[in-house]
Amino acid sequence: AQRVTQPEKLLSVFKGAPVELKCNYSYSGSPELFWYVQYSRQRLQLLLRHISRESIKGFTADLNKGETSFHLKKPFAQEEDSAMYYCALRPYSGGGADGLTFGKGTHLIIQP
Amino acid sequence: GAGVSQSPSNKVTEKGKDVELRCDPISGHTALYWYRQSLGQGLEFLIYFQGNSAPDKSGLPSDRFSAERTGGSVSTLTIQRTQQEDSAVYLCASSTPGTGYSYEQYFGPGTRLTVT
């Protein structure tokens, strides 16, 4: 069975500082990795996925298969980045629609 | 357009009672998912529907939990004989699965269930 680990329950950084939210996974096959974000009083929403290799709101994440990691990074944190961040994995089965396995989340607080 | 909706938004029930939670997916989305978010447990996958069938029920925690989907649209998650450990936020999501990697799940606001 697959597993996603986010070692930090809480991460607090100052505005303008770099941010790195860690995510490690275990899965024997080819996974698809995602980062989801939940802002205060809002729905859980997709932030980015590894297959897109894009930057969203200044965040990037690179899939490192050797280290089985998918860390989320941003060079300069902004106060509006404060939120709950979840790393998630979907086993690639070719069908395109499987349940996600989530980490327990990291609460990111950006201090002014 | 309208997103995924869930009802009720909050539900308080007594231990031993049955509850039904409803999910209205985005129109045209063929895949529907239920997750549970418990304090300290993060998000757990419960069940997934493709159309009206449920190819993956692996996450249902016990036989007190069941779900159905009718007309390829609305889904109901039923919890029988509720226990205090069932208290959680129940999230629904929907997607239009493509082939391979084309895939995004859109989440509803959740139903907060409290069992007293």
Side-chain angles (χ1 to χ4, degrees), chain A residues 43 49 86 90 95-98 100, chain B residues 4 33 35 37 48 98 100 103:
Chain A
R43 303 178 183 206
R49 65 186 109 182
Y86 295 93
R90 180 177 75 88
D98 302 285
L100 295 170
Chain B
V4 177
Y33 312 80
Y35 294 89
Q37 188 172 26
Y48 135 65
Y103 169 95

Side-chain angles (χ1 to χ4, degrees), chain A residues 62-82:
Chain A
D62 291 319
L63 179 60
N64 185 323
K65 292 186 178 180
E67 295 182 359
T68 59
S69 67
F70 188 57
H71 303 326
L72 183 68
K73 300 177 183 179
K74 184 169 183 176
F76 307 104
Q78 299 173 290
E79 287 185 68
E80 54 265 34
D81 296 329
S82 294

Side-chain angles (χ1 to χ4, degrees), chain B residues 71-91:
Chain B
S73 182
V74 171
S75 175
T76 303
L77 177 68
T78 301
I79 309 172
Q80 297 178 306
R81 305 181 302 282
T82 52
Q83 303 294 311
Q84 288 186 331
E85 60 262 30
D86 300 334
S87 296
V89 175
Y90 289 82
L91 292 173

